[in-house]
Amino acid sequence: MSTQSTADMDDAGPGDHPSRSDGLVRGASELIGGPLGDHAVALDRPADRESRFWTAARIVLALACLTLALHWVQKSPCQDGAWQNNIQYTRMCYTDVLALYYAEGLNEGKVPYRDHPVEYPVLTGYFMGALGLPVHALGVDNPEINQGRWAYNANALVLSALAVATVAVILALRRRRPWDAALFALAPALFLTATVNWDLLAIGLAAFGFLAWARSRPALAGVLLGLAGAAKMWPLFVLGPILVLALRANRIRAGLTAVGTALVALVAVNLPAAVAYRDNWDRFFELNTTRPIDWGTLWYIGRYLDGKVNTGGPGSMGPFEWLNANIPTLNWLSYALFGLACLGVAVLALRAPKRPRLAQLAFLVVAAFLIFSKVWSQQFVLWLLPLVVLARPKWGAFIAWQIAEIGYFAAFYGELLGSATSRPVFPEGVFVLAATLRLGTVVLLCVLVVKEILHPERDAVRDTYADDPDGGVLDGAPDAPWVDRWRRRPAPAEPTNVPAPTAA
């Protein structure tokens, strides 16, 4: 008897069509004739892939390439590095990739960590050097070239390839739901912030880590997540949900394997720079420890409200202003709130009626980190994009969040321009409102994900898959025996020897 590969069996399952399953898309489809009909050709079916070039997956990949090409055009006014008259703010095309090519001395051939401190985790520093130093060498031999433009384009090309690879991973994880990946491919946040910094390096590595876990390769998943964590810290937070879910499913060995290999990879990448150039390597930790409240955070909103309600007279401080002047306390409070949020997610994971999906918990943990962090840079929105797509692939709340991100992006550049020219573009309250809406929509997404964890019948992914397509060794695994006993503790016994009531 012939056997069928896992991928083929996965493809053979019932597919999802957003015009039928997603309320917003279904309503919008009425403008072009209504939802997909019963006799329409579905581009995501295996038989159709054999006869048509433009399958659903290829359309989504093409859309991602289009978004990234438009992003490159949007950043083009800044690519020559001649930022006159605050063009980087008026055209909203600022990028750290170009600015730090000069600020970090890469244009002079300085090697990250060896010759100067770097404000980013070590793998990002290596990445900057790997692409920037060859451009410097090329410029030495060809002084007529614009090194900044070449450096930006080299980084943009590699980062865009990582973004497309992330879309491909989402498609691989959602073979029956290829249109989910369009949320990432068409996201305004990707268009606006793809190459503002090097975050797509960590996102691409973390995406492959998710894929390795889904393919039941916990050691490889740990290595990839560890490397991602060496580029930006947030992928390490995914290890917590992996461990908690492995505990609930009695697959603790796989969870510990992923955590262990992640730590090994993290240490292996950091160790050379940490030993040889300790002071320069430590810059990232020093900066994050001493940094005050940054723009657009929960704490920034609180500082603004302090100024509106504080009537204590000159020299008095509201609570948020006091925290900004006492950075160690601010740090510990931020860590404590994030820790409590993680504890809440762990309790939710263990007490939910059905074991949550990995992407759901990963999204909640990373979102909690951003909500309570004292720093929320404009490009950090990219961290949440693939997690939202995997956790809750529904267009309505996603679009509301993206609209809020567009508003914040515009307000942020208005604030930058006002700061650079000492002439406010608009009142500070406008920027605070934009930050509040961004924060509020992320909180809304968290609430909706929690609701779907508590009511798994509302989960769109579970409508298509029996359990968790990202779960790997957890997918379809029964809960450990102790979970059901812990979730369903017997009610207190009725008191005995109670006298019977007497008749009136």
Side-chain angles (χ1 to χ4, degrees):
M1 187 173 89
S2 63
T3 59
Q4 193 176 22
S5 72
T6 303
D8 290 339
M9 288 189 289
D10 201 27
D11 286 343
D16 172 79
H17 303 289
S19 64
R20 294 173 176 172
S21 62
D22 189 285
L24 180 68
V25 178
R26 183 182 181 89
S29 71
E30 296 295 340
L31 299 174
I32 56 172
L36 188 75
D38 294 336
H39 301 288
V41 175
L43 297 180
D44 53 334
R45 290 200 298 247
D48 186 69
R49 283 202 297 271
E50 296 174 0
S51 59
R52 292 176 180 265
F53 178 81
W54 286 112
T55 62
R58 287 171 179 164
I59 290 172
V60 171
L61 288 169
L63 290 173
C65 292
L66 175 62
T67 300
L68 293 162
L70 292 175
H71 168 80
W72 182 86
V73 172
Q74 195 271 327
K75 288 288 181 280
S76 60
C78 286
Q79 289 180 22
D80 60 4
W83 295 352
Q84 302 295 323
N85 301 317
N86 293 307
I87 189 175
Q88 71 273 32
Y89 304 143
T90 58
R91 298 291 187 89
M92 298 186 287
C93 59
Y94 172 84
T95 167
D96 287 330
V97 172
L98 184 53
L100 295 184
Y101 177 73
Y102 297 100
E104 298 285 349
L106 295 169
N107 65 310
E108 301 171 3
K110 292 184 178 180
V111 177
Y113 303 106
R114 189 192 73 182
D115 299 327
H116 63 90
V118 179
E119 61 183 272
Y120 298 113
V122 69
L123 194 61
T124 297
Y126 295 162
F127 187 83
M128 293 164 57
L131 294 181
L133 293 175
V135 172
H136 163 71
L138 181 65
V140 170
D141 296 330
N142 302 275
E144 72 280 0
I145 72 169
N146 184 318
Q147 289 190 38
R149 183 187 295 275
W150 277 70
Y152 171 77
N153 285 319
N155 279 272
L157 181 63
V158 177
L159 292 172
S160 295
L162 287 166
V164 174
T166 301
V167 175
V169 169
I170 295 172
L171 289 165
L173 292 171
R174 295 290 181 273
R175 291 179 180 273
R176 300 182 195 170
R177 301 181 56 90
W179 295 110
D180 288 357
L183 289 161
F184 186 99
L186 293 173
L190 182 66
F191 162 68
L192 294 171
T193 67
T195 62
V196 168
N197 201 278
W198 291 273
D199 295 73
L200 282 169
L201 171 62
I203 290 168
L205 289 169
F208 281 107
F210 258 85
L211 183 62
W213 179 263
R215 298 293 183 263
S216 300
R217 302 182 67 181
L220 178 59
V223 169
L224 290 166
L225 289 172
L227 292 175
K232 295 283 181 175
M233 188 171 59
W234 70 266
L236 298 177
F237 301 150
V238 177
L239 297 172
I242 285 177
L243 205 54
V244 171
L245 292 174
L247 180 64
R248 175 164 175 167
N250 202 23
R251 298 290 190 272
I252 193 66
R253 181 176 179 179
L256 290 174
T257 298
V259 172
T261 55
L263 295 177
V264 169
L266 183 67
V267 171
V269 172
N270 277 271
L271 197 59
V275 170
Y277 316 111
R278 176 60 183 271
D279 291 340
N280 289 346
W281 170 82
D282 197 46
R283 174 61 176 160
F284 168 72
F285 302 98
E286 178 189 354
L287 181 65
N288 282 277
T289 301
T290 58
R291 197 166 178 174
I293 292 173
D294 202 12
W295 286 3
T297 62
L298 171 68
W299 313 100
Y300 182 91
I301 297 169
R303 283 186 67 197
Y304 175 80
L305 296 177
D306 275 352
K308 294 299 181 183
V309 303
N310 184 22
T311 58
S316 64
M317 288 185 181
F320 289 92
E321 191 64 49
W322 182 88
L323 285 170
N324 195 50
N326 294 269
I327 304 301
T329 305
L330 171 64
N331 292 338
W332 283 111
L333 182 57
S334 176
Y335 301 152
L337 290 172
F338 175 54
L340 288 173
C342 290
L343 181 61
V345 171
V347 172
L348 175 67
L350 295 175
R351 293 192 65 86
K354 189 170 184 177
R355 189 175 59 251
R357 294 186 290 107
L358 173 59
Q360 292 174 317
L361 297 191
F363 168 77
L364 291 176
V365 170
V366 176
F369 175 76
L370 291 176
I371 290 168
F372 295 118
S373 176
K374 64 179 182 178
V375 179
W376 193 340
S377 299
Q378 55 174 316
Q379 75 277 4
F380 288 1
V381 60
L382 295 172
W383 301 0
L384 296 178
L385 267 182
L387 299 178
V388 167
V389 173
L390 297 175
R392 191 177 188 274
K394 295 181 180 179
W395 286 86
F398 180 87
I399 290 175
W401 170 48
Q402 290 296 290
I403 291 172
E405 290 286 354
I406 294 171
Y408 179 79
F409 183 84
F412 177 76
Y413 275 96
E415 198 75 359
L416 283 173
L417 181 60
S419 179
T421 60
S422 300
R423 294 192 303 272
V425 176
F426 37 65
E428 185 184 10
V430 174
F431 177 63
V432 172
L433 176 61
T436 303
L437 290 174
R438 177 183 68 163
L439 175 66
T441 51
V442 172
V443 171
L444 172 63
L445 286 169
C446 291
V447 171
L448 293 173
V449 169
V450 169
K451 282 188 174 181
E452 291 183 356
I453 289 174
L454 295 175
H455 301 279
E457 69 278 3
R458 301 179 185 177
D459 183 353
V461 175
R462 291 193 190 276
D463 281 345
T464 312
Y465 294 91
D467 190 19
D468 182 5
D470 312 322
V473 296
L474 308 177
D475 187 25
D479 284 340
W482 61 268
V483 172
D484 193 56
R485 293 196 299 269
W486 185 64
R487 287 183 56 247
R488 303 176 183 273
R489 288 185 241 185
E494 292 291 333
T496 57
N497 300 322
V498 178
T502 58

